[in-house]
Amino acid sequence: MKYASYLLIMVMLVGVASLFVLKRPDGRTWLSLDDILGKAQTQAQQVLSESKQQLDKAVDMVSSKDEQTAQEKPAKIYKWQDAQGNWHYSDRPNARGQSEEMTLDPSKITIMAAENTEILKQLKEQQDAGRIPKDLPANMSPSDIKKLVQDAQNIEKLMQERSKKLEGI
């Protein structure tokens, strides 16, 4: 079986090699390295040119999208203060009172990931259960206070980095 496999492989190799030696009626060989390399090079050039066209198209799309974003009108938001003194911001004016219209420059808006607010949910649950008075949110455990201070320090650090980034622009 092993010798039969070797014999079959040898016959195939001789057959392929003979294509490089045997000549067609026009005098050229049936197979040549120039033909193989020429076809491969032509196909590679086609793939390369198609890739370049696709890349140019993608760059044009991205640059046109950037230009559209830069030309967009600044967003308008409204702010107002409620009876308790809390400030509210919305994309619509206050229906029950007077609102101050503000415009936002989209190039100066920074989007930050939300922090974990699990501690606030726990506080609300404890207040709802009557374990903590609703008007006294300072009744927190020392570990909760430590976490709150760490969160505040992280936010302060993020804001300082944002300020440095904006000053560098």
Side-chain angles (χ1 to χ4, degrees):
M1 182 70 174
K2 187 177 182 181
Y3 295 112
S5 299
Y6 287 142
L7 184 61
L8 183 62
I9 291 172
M10 291 306 290
V11 168
M12 288 176 35
L13 287 174
V14 168
V16 170
S18 66
L19 292 175
F20 286 96
V21 176
L22 296 176
K23 308 236 184 231
R24 293 189 281 186
D26 63 357
R28 293 180 38 220
T29 58
W30 286 97
L31 192 59
S32 70
L33 284 175
D34 292 336
D35 290 340
I36 294 171
L37 294 177
K39 289 178 183 176
Q41 189 174 16
T42 303
Q43 289 176 348
Q45 289 293 336
Q46 288 175 345
V47 168
L48 185 63
S49 65
E50 288 175 13
S51 299
K52 187 173 179 351
Q53 289 173 355
Q54 292 295 328
L55 183 61
D56 290 341
K57 187 177 178 182
V59 167
D60 290 342
M61 288 174 59
V62 168
S63 62
S64 68
K65 183 69 175 169
D66 288 344
E67 290 172 6
Q68 289 174 355
T69 304
Q71 294 174 355
E72 287 179 1
K73 294 180 182 177
K76 290 184 182 180
I77 63 167
Y78 301 91
K79 82 173 190 178
W80 67 90
Q81 197 169 17
D82 63 12
Q84 289 82 24
N86 298 321
W87 284 99
H88 298 271
Y89 296 87
S90 176
D91 57 346
R92 291 181 227 124
N94 183 10
R96 294 184 222 129
Q98 196 168 2
S99 300
E100 181 181 338
E101 183 178 308
M102 302 175 68
T103 55
L104 299 176
D105 184 3
S107 65
K108 294 183 181 177
I109 295 175
T110 302
I111 298 173
M112 295 173 41
E115 294 292 325
N116 185 358
T117 59
E118 188 64 34
I119 193 170
L120 298 175
K121 292 177 186 175
Q122 292 173 0
L123 179 65
K124 177 134 177 61
E125 289 171 2
Q126 290 178 359
Q127 286 176 339
D128 291 343
R131 287 181 253 148
I132 297 177
K134 290 188 178 192
D135 60 343
L136 193 60
N139 275 348
M140 300 172 77
S141 70
S143 62
D144 292 342
I145 292 173
K146 184 177 178 183
K147 172 127 176 57
L148 189 62
V149 169
Q150 287 175 343
D151 289 344
Q153 289 171 343
N154 289 340
I155 291 171
E156 182 179 82
K157 185 175 148 185
L158 286 172
M159 294 305 292
Q160 288 173 351
E161 291 173 3
R162 179 181 178 269
S163 296
K164 288 178 185 176
K165 190 176 183 180
L166 288 174
E167 289 172 359
I169 292 178

mmCIF file of all heavy atoms in Angstrom, residues 110-138:
data_model
loop_
_atom_site.group_PDB
_atom_site.id
_atom_site.type_symbol
_atom_site.label_atom_id
_atom_site.label_comp_id
_atom_site.label_asym_id
_atom_site.label_seq_id
_atom_site.Cartn_x
_atom_site.Cartn_y
_atom_site.Cartn_z
ATOM 1 N N THR A 110 -18.386 65.968 26.846
ATOM 2 C CA THR A 110 -17.676 64.745 27.184
ATOM 3 C C THR A 110 -18.674 63.755 27.771
ATOM 4 O O THR A 110 -19.423 64.097 28.681
ATOM 5 C CB THR A 110 -16.568 65.016 28.218
ATOM 6 O OG1 THR A 110 -15.687 65.984 27.680
ATOM 7 C CG2 THR A 110 -15.817 63.747 28.553
ATOM 8 N N ILE A 111 -18.660 62.560 27.233
ATOM 9 C CA ILE A 111 -19.553 61.527 27.734
ATOM 10 C C ILE A 111 -18.740 60.633 28.659
ATOM 11 O O ILE A 111 -17.674 60.147 28.285
ATOM 12 C CB ILE A 111 -20.150 60.703 26.578
ATOM 13 C CG1 ILE A 111 -20.973 61.627 25.688
ATOM 14 C CG2 ILE A 111 -20.981 59.548 27.103
ATOM 15 C CD1 ILE A 111 -21.473 60.968 24.425
ATOM 16 N N MET A 112 -19.238 60.460 29.859
ATOM 17 C CA MET A 112 -18.543 59.636 30.846
ATOM 18 C C MET A 112 -19.425 58.451 31.214
ATOM 19 O O MET A 112 -20.651 58.558 31.226
ATOM 20 C CB MET A 112 -18.242 60.457 32.108
ATOM 21 C CG MET A 112 -17.282 61.592 31.854
ATOM 22 S SD MET A 112 -17.020 62.717 33.242
ATOM 23 C CE MET A 112 -16.918 61.684 34.627
ATOM 24 N N ALA A 113 -18.779 57.347 31.531
ATOM 25 C CA ALA A 113 -19.518 56.165 31.959
ATOM 26 C C ALA A 113 -20.156 56.434 33.318
ATOM 27 O O ALA A 113 -19.595 57.136 34.155
ATOM 28 C CB ALA A 113 -18.586 54.970 32.053
ATOM 29 N N ALA A 114 -21.341 55.894 33.512
ATOM 30 C CA ALA A 114 -22.038 56.074 34.777
ATOM 31 C C ALA A 114 -21.323 55.307 35.884
ATOM 32 O O ALA A 114 -20.797 54.224 35.670
ATOM 33 C CB ALA A 114 -23.477 55.583 34.657
ATOM 34 N N GLU A 115 -21.303 55.888 37.051
ATOM 35 C CA GLU A 115 -20.719 55.230 38.212
ATOM 36 C C GLU A 115 -21.747 54.280 38.808
ATOM 37 O O GLU A 115 -22.941 54.379 38.561
ATOM 38 C CB GLU A 115 -20.306 56.271 39.255
ATOM 39 C CG GLU A 115 -19.185 57.175 38.806
ATOM 40 C CD GLU A 115 -17.861 56.451 38.667
ATOM 41 O OE1 GLU A 115 -17.587 55.534 39.464
ATOM 42 O OE2 GLU A 115 -17.104 56.789 37.739
ATOM 43 N N ASN A 116 -21.288 53.372 39.609
ATOM 44 C CA ASN A 116 -22.161 52.420 40.280
ATOM 45 C C ASN A 116 -23.012 53.164 41.310
ATOM 46 O O ASN A 116 -22.487 53.784 42.229
ATOM 47 C CB ASN A 116 -21.323 51.333 40.959
ATOM 48 C CG ASN A 116 -22.181 50.252 41.564
ATOM 49 O OD1 ASN A 116 -23.410 50.309 41.533
ATOM 50 N ND2 ASN A 116 -21.532 49.262 42.117
ATOM 51 N N THR A 117 -24.304 53.103 41.143
ATOM 52 C CA THR A 117 -25.221 53.803 42.054
ATOM 53 C C THR A 117 -25.939 52.832 42.983
ATOM 54 O O THR A 117 -26.990 53.154 43.511
ATOM 55 C CB THR A 117 -26.255 54.610 41.244
ATOM 56 O OG1 THR A 117 -26.971 53.710 40.402
ATOM 57 C CG2 THR A 117 -25.586 55.685 40.422
ATOM 58 N N GLU A 118 -25.374 51.673 43.189
ATOM 59 C CA GLU A 118 -25.989 50.664 44.045
ATOM 60 C C GLU A 118 -26.184 51.175 45.468
ATOM 61 O O GLU A 118 -27.182 50.891 46.110
ATOM 62 C CB GLU A 118 -25.126 49.395 44.050
ATOM 63 C CG GLU A 118 -25.759 48.214 44.747
ATOM 64 C CD GLU A 118 -27.034 47.735 44.058
ATOM 65 O OE1 GLU A 118 -27.123 47.813 42.821
ATOM 66 O OE2 GLU A 118 -27.943 47.283 44.778
ATOM 67 N N ILE A 119 -25.238 51.982 45.949
ATOM 68 C CA ILE A 119 -25.328 52.500 47.311
ATOM 69 C C ILE A 119 -26.560 53.396 47.481
ATOM 70 O O ILE A 119 -27.207 53.403 48.523
ATOM 71 C CB ILE A 119 -24.033 53.236 47.711
ATOM 72 C CG1 ILE A 119 -24.007 53.501 49.215
ATOM 73 C CG2 ILE A 119 -23.871 54.516 46.943
ATOM 74 C CD1 ILE A 119 -22.668 53.998 49.709
ATOM 75 N N LEU A 120 -26.903 54.141 46.433
ATOM 76 C CA LEU A 120 -28.082 55.000 46.503
ATOM 77 C C LEU A 120 -29.361 54.167 46.555
ATOM 78 O O LEU A 120 -30.312 54.503 47.252
ATOM 79 C CB LEU A 120 -28.106 55.966 45.326
ATOM 80 C CG LEU A 120 -26.931 56.941 45.247
ATOM 81 C CD1 LEU A 120 -27.007 57.760 43.977
ATOM 82 C CD2 LEU A 120 -26.903 57.833 46.465
ATOM 83 N N LYS A 121 -29.384 53.067 45.815
ATOM 84 C CA LYS A 121 -30.545 52.175 45.849
ATOM 85 C C LYS A 121 -30.704 51.563 47.229
ATOM 86 O O LYS A 121 -31.820 51.473 47.751
ATOM 87 C CB LYS A 121 -30.399 51.072 44.796
ATOM 88 C CG LYS A 121 -30.470 51.561 43.376
ATOM 89 C CD LYS A 121 -30.251 50.419 42.402
ATOM 90 C CE LYS A 121 -30.174 50.919 40.974
ATOM 91 N NZ LYS A 121 -29.839 49.827 40.043
ATOM 92 N N GLN A 122 -29.580 51.160 47.826
ATOM 93 C CA GLN A 122 -29.640 50.581 49.163
ATOM 94 C C GLN A 122 -30.135 51.600 50.178
ATOM 95 O O GLN A 122 -30.947 51.276 51.055
ATOM 96 C CB GLN A 122 -28.262 50.059 49.575
ATOM 97 C CG GLN A 122 -27.794 48.863 48.788
ATOM 98 C CD GLN A 122 -26.363 48.492 49.105
ATOM 99 O OE1 GLN A 122 -25.706 49.129 49.920
ATOM 100 N NE2 GLN A 122 -25.869 47.448 48.432
ATOM 101 N N LEU A 123 -29.678 52.828 50.087
ATOM 102 C CA LEU A 123 -30.113 53.890 50.978
ATOM 103 C C LEU A 123 -31.609 54.121 50.853
ATOM 104 O O LEU A 123 -32.321 54.238 51.850
ATOM 105 C CB LEU A 123 -29.338 55.178 50.684
ATOM 106 C CG LEU A 123 -29.704 56.398 51.513
ATOM 107 C CD1 LEU A 123 -29.354 56.176 52.971
ATOM 108 C CD2 LEU A 123 -28.981 57.621 50.993
ATOM 109 N N LYS A 124 -32.106 54.164 49.607
ATOM 110 C CA LYS A 124 -33.542 54.371 49.381
ATOM 111 C C LYS A 124 -34.340 53.209 49.967
ATOM 112 O O LYS A 124 -35.387 53.418 50.584
ATOM 113 C CB LYS A 124 -33.827 54.522 47.896
ATOM 114 C CG LYS A 124 -35.292 54.661 47.549
ATOM 115 C CD LYS A 124 -35.509 55.759 46.578
ATOM 116 C CE LYS A 124 -36.936 55.893 46.138
ATOM 117 N NZ LYS A 124 -37.863 56.176 47.210
ATOM 118 N N GLU A 125 -33.854 51.976 49.780
ATOM 119 C CA GLU A 125 -34.558 50.817 50.338
ATOM 120 C C GLU A 125 -34.622 50.900 51.856
ATOM 121 O O GLU A 125 -35.664 50.608 52.462
ATOM 122 C CB GLU A 125 -33.866 49.514 49.915
ATOM 123 C CG GLU A 125 -34.043 49.182 48.450
ATOM 124 C CD GLU A 125 -33.174 48.004 48.013
ATOM 125 O OE1 GLU A 125 -32.460 47.418 48.861
ATOM 126 O OE2 GLU A 125 -33.206 47.683 46.816
ATOM 127 N N GLN A 126 -33.511 51.300 52.479
ATOM 128 C CA GLN A 126 -33.489 51.417 53.943
ATOM 129 C C GLN A 126 -34.399 52.543 54.417
ATOM 130 O O GLN A 126 -35.057 52.430 55.443
ATOM 131 C CB GLN A 126 -32.061 51.632 54.435
ATOM 132 C CG GLN A 126 -31.190 50.398 54.277
ATOM 133 C CD GLN A 126 -29.765 50.627 54.731
ATOM 134 O OE1 GLN A 126 -29.404 51.713 55.156
ATOM 135 N NE2 GLN A 126 -28.949 49.579 54.641
ATOM 136 N N GLN A 127 -34.457 53.643 53.666
ATOM 137 C CA GLN A 127 -35.361 54.732 54.025
ATOM 138 C C GLN A 127 -36.816 54.306 53.872
ATOM 139 O O GLN A 127 -37.647 54.614 54.729
ATOM 140 C CB GLN A 127 -35.082 55.962 53.154
ATOM 141 C CG GLN A 127 -33.815 56.689 53.515
ATOM 142 C CD GLN A 127 -33.509 57.846 52.583
ATOM 143 O OE1 GLN A 127 -33.996 57.899 51.462
ATOM 144 N NE2 GLN A 127 -32.677 58.767 53.053
ATOM 145 N N ASP A 128 -37.116 53.579 52.783
ATOM 146 C CA ASP A 128 -38.481 53.107 52.565
ATOM 147 C C ASP A 128 -38.905 52.109 53.634
ATOM 148 O O ASP A 128 -40.077 52.059 54.019
ATOM 149 C CB ASP A 128 -38.620 52.478 51.173
ATOM 150 C CG ASP A 128 -38.513 53.497 50.047
ATOM 151 O OD1 ASP A 128 -38.659 54.715 50.344
ATOM 152 O OD2 ASP A 128 -38.280 53.099 48.896
ATOM 153 N N ALA A 129 -37.957 51.312 54.125
ATOM 154 C CA ALA A 129 -38.267 50.320 55.161
ATOM 155 C C ALA A 129 -38.371 50.958 56.537
ATOM 156 O O ALA A 129 -38.791 50.307 57.492
ATOM 157 C CB ALA A 129 -37.207 49.224 55.170
ATOM 158 N N GLY A 130 -37.997 52.231 56.654
ATOM 159 C CA GLY A 130 -38.107 52.929 57.929
ATOM 160 C C GLY A 130 -36.890 52.750 58.818
ATOM 161 O O GLY A 130 -36.901 53.197 59.962
ATOM 162 N N ARG A 131 -35.839 52.116 58.334
ATOM 163 C CA ARG A 131 -34.637 51.921 59.148
ATOM 164 C C ARG A 131 -33.793 53.192 59.220
ATOM 165 O O ARG A 131 -33.042 53.384 60.157
ATOM 166 C CB ARG A 131 -33.797 50.777 58.590
ATOM 167 C CG ARG A 131 -34.431 49.419 58.866
ATOM 168 C CD ARG A 131 -33.580 48.296 58.332
ATOM 169 N NE ARG A 131 -34.281 47.782 57.152
ATOM 170 C CZ ARG A 131 -33.720 47.272 56.103
ATOM 171 N NH1 ARG A 131 -32.426 47.147 56.032
ATOM 172 N NH2 ARG A 131 -34.434 46.845 55.089
ATOM 173 N N ILE A 132 -33.918 54.051 58.206
ATOM 174 C CA ILE A 132 -33.195 55.328 58.173
ATOM 175 C C ILE A 132 -34.227 56.418 57.910
ATOM 176 O O ILE A 132 -35.054 56.293 57.010
ATOM 177 C CB ILE A 132 -32.140 55.338 57.051
ATOM 178 C CG1 ILE A 132 -31.076 54.271 57.304
ATOM 179 C CG2 ILE A 132 -31.480 56.698 56.938
ATOM 180 C CD1 ILE A 132 -30.047 54.174 56.190
ATOM 181 N N PRO A 133 -34.187 57.512 58.692
ATOM 182 C CA PRO A 133 -35.122 58.613 58.425
ATOM 183 C C PRO A 133 -34.894 59.185 57.024
ATOM 184 O O PRO A 133 -33.766 59.293 56.559
ATOM 185 C CB PRO A 133 -34.778 59.650 59.492
ATOM 186 C CG PRO A 133 -34.008 58.912 60.534
ATOM 187 C CD PRO A 133 -33.353 57.759 59.857
ATOM 188 N N LYS A 134 -35.989 59.536 56.360
ATOM 189 C CA LYS A 134 -35.884 60.026 54.981
ATOM 190 C C LYS A 134 -35.187 61.371 54.889
ATOM 191 O O LYS A 134 -34.593 61.704 53.881
ATOM 192 C CB LYS A 134 -37.271 60.104 54.349
ATOM 193 C CG LYS A 134 -37.862 58.749 54.099
ATOM 194 C CD LYS A 134 -39.125 58.830 53.311
ATOM 195 C CE LYS A 134 -39.628 57.410 53.074
ATOM 196 N NZ LYS A 134 -40.666 57.323 52.117
ATOM 197 N N ASP A 135 -35.278 62.184 55.924
ATOM 198 C CA ASP A 135 -34.642 63.497 55.879
ATOM 199 C C ASP A 135 -33.199 63.456 56.383
ATOM 200 O O ASP A 135 -32.549 64.469 56.469
ATOM 201 C CB ASP A 135 -35.452 64.497 56.708
ATOM 202 C CG ASP A 135 -35.558 64.091 58.175
ATOM 203 O OD1 ASP A 135 -35.295 62.905 58.479
ATOM 204 O OD2 ASP A 135 -35.885 64.956 58.995
ATOM 205 N N LEU A 136 -32.678 62.283 56.693
ATOM 206 C CA LEU A 136 -31.336 62.160 57.238
ATOM 207 C C LEU A 136 -30.517 61.131 56.445
ATOM 208 O O LEU A 136 -30.284 60.034 56.903
ATOM 209 C CB LEU A 136 -31.417 61.746 58.711
ATOM 210 C CG LEU A 136 -30.144 61.860 59.543
ATOM 211 C CD1 LEU A 136 -29.647 63.303 59.585
ATOM 212 C CD2 LEU A 136 -30.395 61.375 60.949
ATOM 213 N N PRO A 137 -30.074 61.491 55.246
ATOM 214 C CA PRO A 137 -29.318 60.536 54.432
ATOM 215 C C PRO A 137 -27.903 60.303 54.955
ATOM 216 O O PRO A 137 -27.205 59.452 54.472
ATOM 217 C CB PRO A 137 -29.293 61.178 53.061
ATOM 218 C CG PRO A 137 -29.421 62.625 53.323
ATOM 219 C CD PRO A 137 -30.276 62.746 54.558
ATOM 220 N N ALA A 138 -27.468 61.057 55.988
ATOM 221 C CA ALA A 138 -26.113 60.913 56.491
ATOM 222 C C ALA A 138 -25.948 59.686 57.384
ATOM 223 O O ALA A 138 -24.844 59.395 57.816
ATOM 224 C CB ALA A 138 -25.705 62.165 57.244
#
